[in-house]
Amino acid sequence: MNAAAIRLPGGAGSATMARHFVRTQLSAWALPDPGGDVLILTSELVGNAVQHGGGAVAIRLVRTDAGVRIEVTDRDPRPPVPRPAGIDGGFGLGLIQRLSADWGVVPGRTGKVVWLEYRLS
């Protein structure tokens, strides 16, 4: 299994840094993301973690037999809760549910890990 991880400072630039990290890692593993779905999902996970998780986040990317697993860790122990989509957001978890093969939450001592698996083959 191949894996790579980085810590992000939180704030507005974190999603951009996360996408760059994932794009670079997918390229290093010679994995395509033709529709950009992996980058969209990365943005959603990191954006939610920054907005609701209280600061710095970590992202871990794991190459799987079928594609990739993205794990984002934040400091808030509360699991994400879907909310109605509207002008102020609420689309993220719906996108994650539709685009990923599977997703979930693992509680931690001081926060949580929200993960998803995406099939590239």
Side-chain angles (χ1 to χ4, degrees):
M1 172 183 2
N2 293 320
I6 61 168
R7 295 190 62 68
L8 303 170
S14 289
T16 301
M17 287 184 275
R19 285 191 305 274
H20 177 74
F21 164 74
V22 169
R23 186 180 304 113
T24 300
Q25 197 57 54
L26 290 176
S27 178
W29 290 338
L31 291 176
D33 184 17
D37 290 347
V38 175
L39 298 179
I40 291 169
L41 291 167
T42 297
S43 290
E44 288 300 328
L45 287 180
V46 171
N48 285 345
V50 168
Q51 182 177 1
H52 305 290
V57 299
I59 181 169
R60 181 172 182 253
L61 190 65
V62 180
R63 184 175 180 172
T64 66
D65 290 339
V68 293
R69 178 180 171 106
I70 305 168
E71 301 172 351
V72 175
T73 303
D74 67 45
R75 296 180 185 161
D76 186 348
R78 297 174 295 173
V81 177
R83 61 185 175 101
I87 291 174
D88 64 342
F91 297 96
L93 287 179
L95 272 174
I96 290 168
Q97 290 170 341
R98 281 190 294 283
L99 295 177
S100 65
D102 197 11
W103 76 280
V105 181
V106 178
R109 289 192 330 252
T110 60
K112 67 182 171 298
V113 176
V114 180
W115 60 270
L116 64 82
E117 293 184 359
Y118 185 82
R119 290 191 178 101
L120 288 167
S121 53

